[in-house]
Amino acid sequence: MSEMQSCPKCGLDNTYFDGSLNVCPDCFHEWNEEEVKQTEADSTPRDSNGAELMDGDAVTVIKDLNVRGSSMVIKRGTKVKNIRLTEDPEEVDCKINGSGIVLKTCFLKKN
């Protein structure tokens, strides 16, 4: 039997193997080791349709987005050029109307 892993959802080490799945009694998350390996291997940023995003790509916003801490609204259909990838595969850095903004990739569509 292999060494127990920490929970991929909450990060705690209090996990056990119940015969078919690993279980975390703290957050009630259940997983198998193969799923964790697949998600770790696929850390490439992807848009809402699953297309792989790269530095310098042009994207379109698919939903009206309220900018937190501002009265600015990014309208659906706004085209954003020259995105930059961040450490988090679910976020990209870009400039819209001269303001530096971080957007979630789930609200973007690659052009």
Side-chain angles (χ1 to χ4, degrees):
M1 189 166 136
S2 65
E3 184 178 315
M4 292 307 298
Q5 300 175 343
S6 59
C7 176
K9 186 173 181 182
C10 68
L12 296 175
D13 293 329
N14 185 22
T15 61
Y16 64 91
F17 186 71
D18 74 349
S20 61
L21 294 173
N22 292 317
V23 179
C24 177
D26 298 312
C27 69
F28 306 109
H29 181 63
E30 297 178 345
W31 75 97
N32 64 24
E33 292 181 24
E34 293 168 4
E35 289 176 2
V36 173
K37 289 177 186 174
Q38 288 175 354
T39 56
E40 288 175 356
D42 188 26
S43 63
T44 57
R46 299 193 178 275
D47 71 354
S48 60
N49 296 328
E52 187 174 337
L53 297 173
M54 305 287 274
D55 277 333
D57 281 346
V59 294
T60 303
V61 178
I62 63 168
K63 179 182 174 183
D64 287 352
L65 301 173
N66 295 323
V67 178
R68 219 180 297 177
S70 171
S71 61
M72 182 175 156
V73 176
I74 301 171
K75 296 289 185 183
R76 187 178 111 213
T78 301
K79 296 186 188 289
V80 181
K81 298 178 185 175
N82 199 18
I83 63 168
R84 292 174 302 282
L85 302 180
T86 62
E87 296 291 324
D88 186 355
E90 295 180 2
E91 296 178 345
V92 296
D93 191 25
C94 61
K95 283 196 174 189
I96 298 177
N97 297 332
S99 299
I101 296 179
V102 176
L103 296 174
K104 294 277 192 181
T105 56
C106 61
F107 300 121
L108 303 176
K109 178 178 79 170
K110 188 173 182 178
N111 291 342

